[in-house]
Each structure stands twice: as structure tokens, then as C-alpha cells.
Amino acid sequence: MSRVKLTIEYDGTAYAGWQLQANGPSVQARIEEALLQLTGSAVRVHSASRTDAGVHARGMVIHFDVERSLPLSAYREGMNRYLPQDVAVCAAEYVAEDFHSRFCNSGKWYRYTLCQAPVRSPLFARTSWHVSRVLDLEVMRRAAACFEGCYDFSAFRSSRCSAKTTVKELTVVTVIDDTPLIYIDVEGSGFLQNMVRIMAGTLVEIGLHKRSPDSIAELLQNGRRADAGRTAPAHGLCLMRINYAPGYNRRGTVLYGGREKVNKNNKKA
Amino acid sequence: MSRVKLTIEYDGTAYAGWQLQANGPSVQARIEEALLQLTGSAVRVHSASRTDAGVHARGMVIHFDVERSLPLSAYREGMNRYLPQDVAVCAAEYVAEDFHSRFCNSGKWYRYTLCQAPVRSPLFARTSWHVSRVLDLEVMRRAAACFEGCYDFSAFRSSRCSAKTTVKELTVVTVIDDTPLIYIDVEGSGFLQNMVRIMAGTLVEIGLHKRSPDSIAELLQNGRRADAGRTAPAHGLCLMRINYAPGYNRRGTVLYGGREKVNKNNKKA
């Protein structure tokens, strides 16, 4: 048995979310269908995160086990032939059998994209939230910096969120100007449901001078969801990268066995 | 009668091109349909350029005449309500009655976008040409600079191109790294059919070391289309901006009349 780690990019527009859904197409279903076609057997995949309907990803990470080792190119070039145009495997590796995409990761980088323009933009419509009025980026940057550190993010989670602990550490919260696009980049070790989208919605209200930048410190203190801003729409959010500690893939014997087996069959390796 | 100038953005993916087509949807048809809904009468619009099937625009310019002046917000916010999500009016102005979007413009800026990544990218698939191998950007930049100036671009036009003169002046041809995206920006006073796409196809061959950067000077000399590179695919091309000389909209009495009339009815102006 070998454990495979894949990095996946997708345009979430057409999907009801990452996870298998009873009533809508999911990215996970597309991946498992492609794996079935590639390997001839049903494979259940496990993901580092579960993005909501409409959210995009440039670096979703998943893992799964296979009985028979295939060359790594089969998981990348091979699967991309079976996947629809809005989903692709970017990278494939064999990992130790105790690697887990969700439990082993050390953090995530999310990007929330705004499009600041007087009218909606057809070319950026799928991947950004349109804000028609001018945003004060300086005041947004000042407010964004208040999120950096270890805080109770109760005010920044969906009422449906069932996480046991609401204390999370964010290492980077920054606002980048790439006119007409504006990126809110957030990196941290853990996230609550809708956390980045509520942060983005609150920062936009601050950028429009509807709310003081000091309100971030108050919200982190009082923890009241109702006092924070609206949840920014899903289609502006993108899961950029999932971090694993250096050397995460250099333990266990299965890995090396897997690699050696692969190297024999795979001229590209 | 008043003449209106509109700036239009569109995602060309779903269209058979800008121009009205017998056998496929066109952006022009969507614009004329929205104008019919807005004004109640059939309006024929004239464009500065005619983009091919699949080509995008962030700054297409059109003009048309209307009997009854409406507030400018009707042409922007109003039309955007009738237009599909992949087409939008970005700006509207009243211009002099001798303004012509095609004959008055002093130049255009096109951007060709490449996505350099080992595998196809779902998020950039609609708006970039995927190049899986690594491009040598330095050699591409050296070659791009050879296009700047006034030359006979016969080697860089489609065999269907019927332009009378093939001598065109390019003021800027530059290669910009925005990894994983690479932009080939081209500005000039005039363009031949498929000119930017053949330039992009040739520059990519140079970036892959399949062709010498010196071949650009030879092609501009010998004018043989067959010796140039392939025509890069349409979906990587975007018409960014159409330039008009400063003061283009400051002549003629109709303009000021139109403006004054609008200002009375339009509280936003």
C-alpha cells in the first residue's frame, strides 16, 4: 500500500463545495471519479480543508491510499486527462503512511480578492467581490494588522461553526493593491468556519469608513458575531496554499519504498 | 441627436467574436439588445476594433447616435442591468458628432497572457495560454524589443488579412513577469489581423529556445508568414485600451449641449 499526496487547483464556480454533496456537484466527486478511471478501483480521498460552495483553490491538498503504485505522472498528467477543465492536479508525491493532509498541516494561506471599480467587471467576476466605492487601503491595512497574533475569533465565525476552540493564531494579515484588484491575504495555523470571509466583510466596512479600525480589537475582545461585518461572498475567496513542516515527507519506510518502486517504472522521476 | 461613446469590458469565452455573426453569439448583438431595451429603439453601434472569437476586452470602445439624450448613468448602470454577466459598460460619455471610435483613435494596447506552469491551470484557463515548459524571459525580452519601431509586419498577419498597408508602428512591446502569468504587452498605432497572436506565438518559440531572437529582425525584413511562429490561441488575448488624442471629446457643440442636458436630469453628474 502506498499513500499519495496531491495538490489540487479548482475554479469553484460550478461546485456546491469541496466535499461530496447529496444535492450538487462537488470537487471531491470529480477527483474520485478521475481516480476510479485511472486505477480501476474506488478510492476515498481525504482533504486538508473543506471549502464552501463557490470558493476556489490554488493549493488544496488531499491524500489517499492505493494498492498498486503508479508512476507519479499518472496522478498528475494522467488524472488531468479525466478531470473537467475547472479542476486540475498540480503536483503529486508519495508520502509516509502516517502522513495526513488535515492533521499534519502547520497552516494555511487564504486570499480574499476584491475588485474595486465603478461597475462590475466581467473578467474578474468569477474570482472577486465587486466593491463599487473607493476603499481607503491605508486604514484597511492598519485594521488588518490588528488581527495578527493569537486571539479568540468567536466574532469571526459562522453561527453553524462547531469548532471546539475559537482561539487561533494568524501570522500574516495584509492588504495588497493590484488595481483594480485588492487582495486580503491571511495566513495562520487554524481557521474557523467563514472566518476569512467575515474578516474580509469587516475590513471592507472599515475601508468604506462605515466602521472604525479600532473595532477589530473590540471584536476580538467581546467575541460577538453580530457586531462584526457581513460575510463576504464565497467567490472572492481562494485557498492558496497549505503548509507542511519541512521534512513532512521524509519519514517512514513506505515513502522510500514507494519512491524507489516509482523510480523504476517512471522514467520522468 | 447626440453621439455616445462607451467603453466595454467582456469575457469573450462564450462569443463568436465582437461583430454580429450569422452563426453564433456576438458581443455586439448583446450590446445592441441592451440598447434596444434601454431606449426602446433599434440602435446600430460602431466599434474601434473587431475582436476574434474567444478574445477578451477590458477597454473596447464603441459609439452610436441617439435621438433622445438620457443621463449618462442610463448607459452605464442602466445597460449593465440588461447585459449578461460576461459583458459590462465601464464608462459612458457624450462626444462631438464627428467623433468616430475607429477613425479617431490614435492607438491600441493589447495584452497577451501566458500561464507558465507544469500543468494547465483551471483558474487562469479562460484568459491565458498554458505553456508547460519554462520560458527564458530574458531572451524573450530581447526579441520583443526588436518589434519596437516602424516596420512591415507582413510576416505577422493572417493569410485572410486584407489590409492595404502592412507597415505599422509599435511603440511598446514588453514582457512582464507576474508568475505564474507572463504578459506580452503590445502598444501601437495600428494592427493587422492576428498580428499580436502571431507575435506571441513567435516569442514563445524564442522563449523555448526553438528559434533565435535574431529571427524577429529577419521576419520583419523578409515578410514571410510561413517563417514566423504559430498563431497563439485567441483566449490569451485581451484588448486593454484604445487611445484617443487628448481633447478628442472637447470639440463640437453637440457635446456640450448633450452634457448640459444630461446634467439637468442626472443628479449624479
Side-chain angles (χ1 to χ4, degrees):
Chain A
M1 195 204 73
S2 301
R3 183 156 287 191
V4 180
K5 167 182 180 259
L6 299 183
T7 308
I8 315 274
E9 177 177 327
Y10 50 88
D11 177 334
T13 308
Y15 297 96
W18 162 266
Q19 201 177 15
L20 290 178
Q21 307 278 335
N23 50 2
S26 70
V27 185
Q28 185 184 352
R30 292 288 173 280
I31 297 281
E32 293 185 352
E33 283 155 18
L35 271 171
L36 175 61
Q37 289 189 275
L38 185 76
T39 64
S41 42
V43 180
R44 173 54 29 101
V45 305
H46 305 273
S47 68
S49 175
R50 285 177 291 181
T51 56
D52 285 337
V55 173
H56 314 290
R58 279 170 70 180
M60 172 62 96
V61 173
I62 64 168
H63 76 272
F64 54 90
D65 295 323
V66 285
E67 287 299 326
R68 200 166 53 89
S69 289
L70 294 170
L72 286 173
S73 62
Y75 295 110
R76 202 173 69 171
E77 282 74 4
M79 276 180 74
N80 283 339
R81 263 175 240 128
Y82 296 119
L83 285 166
Q85 283 303 307
D86 51 9
V87 183
V89 176
C90 315
E93 2 173 9
Y94 281 106
V95 286
E97 65 181 351
D98 62 351
F99 171 86
H100 192 291
S101 55
R102 183 165 162 218
F103 301 125
C104 296
N105 82 68
S106 60
K108 291 175 198 154
W109 166 24
Y110 283 98
R111 169 169 283 181
Y112 197 91
T113 303
L114 309 169
C115 182
Q116 185 192 258
V119 294
R120 62 181 174 78
S121 162
L123 283 164
F124 299 122
R126 298 164 76 92
T127 51
S128 67
W129 181 27
H130 174 227
V131 177
S132 56
R133 274 176 302 149
V134 176
L135 292 160
D136 181 339
L137 298 190
E138 269 323 300
V139 79
M140 284 175 76
R141 284 198 183 100
R142 237 168 53 221
C146 300
F147 284 117
E148 291 179 354
C150 196
Y151 295 106
D152 183 335
F153 281 86
S154 293
F156 298 92
R157 68 164 174 169
S158 152
S159 56
R160 288 165 295 130
C161 178
S162 59
K164 273 171 241 140
T165 169
T166 54
V167 174
K168 301 288 169 189
E169 185 174 11
L170 297 184
T171 47
V172 178
V173 184
T174 185
V175 177
I176 299 164
D177 186 1
D178 187 21
T179 301
L181 301 182
I182 291 159
Y183 308 126
I184 301 171
D185 277 16
V186 184
E187 270 193 84
S189 54
F191 292 86
L192 299 164
Q193 198 178 359
N194 286 357
M195 182 166 138
V196 178
R197 291 167 56 190
I198 301 169
M199 287 170 64
T202 308
L203 286 172
V204 165
E205 292 178 8
I206 290 169
L208 296 173
H209 297 151
K210 287 181 179 177
R211 168 191 290 276
S212 150
D214 301 329
S215 67
I216 301 298
E218 285 164 36
L219 288 161
L220 293 171
Q221 192 67 40
N222 76 22
R224 284 201 294 267
R225 170 67 190 92
D227 291 352
R230 64 167 285 195
T231 306
H235 67 276
L237 186 62
C238 186
L239 171 56
M240 298 292 279
R241 190 179 60 216
I242 302 190
N243 298 323
Y244 295 89
Y248 73 89
N249 60 350
R250 284 198 288 273
R251 38 190 184 136
T253 52
V254 174
L255 170 69
Y256 292 108
R259 270 218 176 140
E260 275 161 14
K261 248 190 284 170
V262 169
N263 284 344
K264 275 187 212 150
N265 302 327
N266 178 10
K267 282 166 199 150
K268 279 193 175 173
Chain B
M1 194 203 71
S2 302
R3 183 156 288 191
V4 180
K5 169 182 179 260
L6 299 183
T7 308
I8 316 273
E9 177 177 325
Y10 50 88
D11 176 334
T13 309
Y15 296 97
W18 163 266
Q19 201 178 14
L20 290 177
Q21 307 278 334
N23 50 1
S26 70
V27 185
Q28 186 183 352
R30 292 287 172 280
I31 297 282
E32 293 185 353
E33 284 156 18
L35 271 170
L36 175 60
Q37 289 189 274
L38 185 76
T39 64
S41 41
V43 180
R44 173 56 27 103
V45 306
H46 305 273
S47 68
S49 176
R50 285 176 291 180
T51 55
D52 285 336
V55 172
H56 315 289
R58 279 171 69 180
M60 171 63 96
V61 173
I62 65 168
H63 75 272
F64 54 89
D65 294 325
V66 285
E67 287 300 324
R68 201 165 53 88
S69 288
L70 294 171
L72 286 173
S73 61
Y75 296 110
R76 202 172 71 172
E77 282 75 4
M79 276 182 73
N80 284 339
R81 264 175 240 130
Y82 296 119
L83 285 166
Q85 283 303 307
D86 52 8
V87 182
V89 176
C90 316
E93 1 173 11
Y94 281 106
V95 286
E97 64 181 350
D98 61 351
F99 171 86
H100 193 290
S101 54
R102 184 166 161 217
F103 301 126
C104 296
N105 83 69
S106 60
K108 291 173 199 157
W109 165 24
Y110 284 99
R111 169 169 283 181
Y112 197 91
T113 303
L114 309 169
C115 182
Q116 186 193 258
V119 296
R120 62 181 175 77
S121 162
L123 283 164
F124 299 122
R126 298 164 76 92
T127 51
S128 68
W129 181 26
H130 174 227
V131 177
S132 56
R133 275 177 301 150
V134 175
L135 292 160
D136 181 339
L137 298 189
E138 269 323 300
V139 79
M140 285 175 75
R141 284 197 184 103
R142 237 169 53 221
C146 300
F147 283 117
E148 290 179 355
C150 195
Y151 296 106
D152 183 336
F153 281 86
S154 294
F156 299 92
R157 68 164 174 168
S158 153
S159 56
R160 288 164 294 131
C161 178
S162 58
K164 274 172 241 139
T165 168
T166 54
V167 174
K168 300 289 168 189
E169 184 174 13
L170 297 184
T171 47
V172 178
V173 184
T174 185
V175 177
I176 299 164
D177 186 2
D178 187 21
T179 302
L181 302 182
I182 291 159
Y183 307 126
I184 300 171
D185 277 16
V186 184
E187 270 194 82
S189 55
F191 291 86
L192 300 164
Q193 198 177 2
N194 286 359
M195 183 166 138
V196 178
R197 290 167 57 191
I198 302 170
M199 288 171 64
T202 308
L203 286 172
V204 165
E205 292 179 8
I206 290 169
L208 296 173
H209 297 150
K210 287 182 179 174
R211 169 191 291 275
S212 149
D214 301 329
S215 67
I216 300 298
E218 285 164 36
L219 287 161
L220 292 170
Q221 192 66 39
N222 76 22
R224 284 200 294 267
R225 170 68 190 93
D227 291 353
R230 63 168 285 194
T231 306
H235 66 277
L237 186 63
C238 185
L239 171 57
M240 298 292 280
R241 192 178 59 216
I242 302 190
N243 298 324
Y244 294 90
Y248 72 89
N249 59 351
R250 284 198 288 271
R251 42 198 180 131
T253 52
V254 174
L255 171 68
Y256 293 108
R259 270 219 175 139
E260 277 161 12
K261 247 189 285 169
V262 169
N263 285 344
K264 274 187 211 150
N265 302 326
N266 179 9
K267 282 165 197 148
K268 278 192 177 174

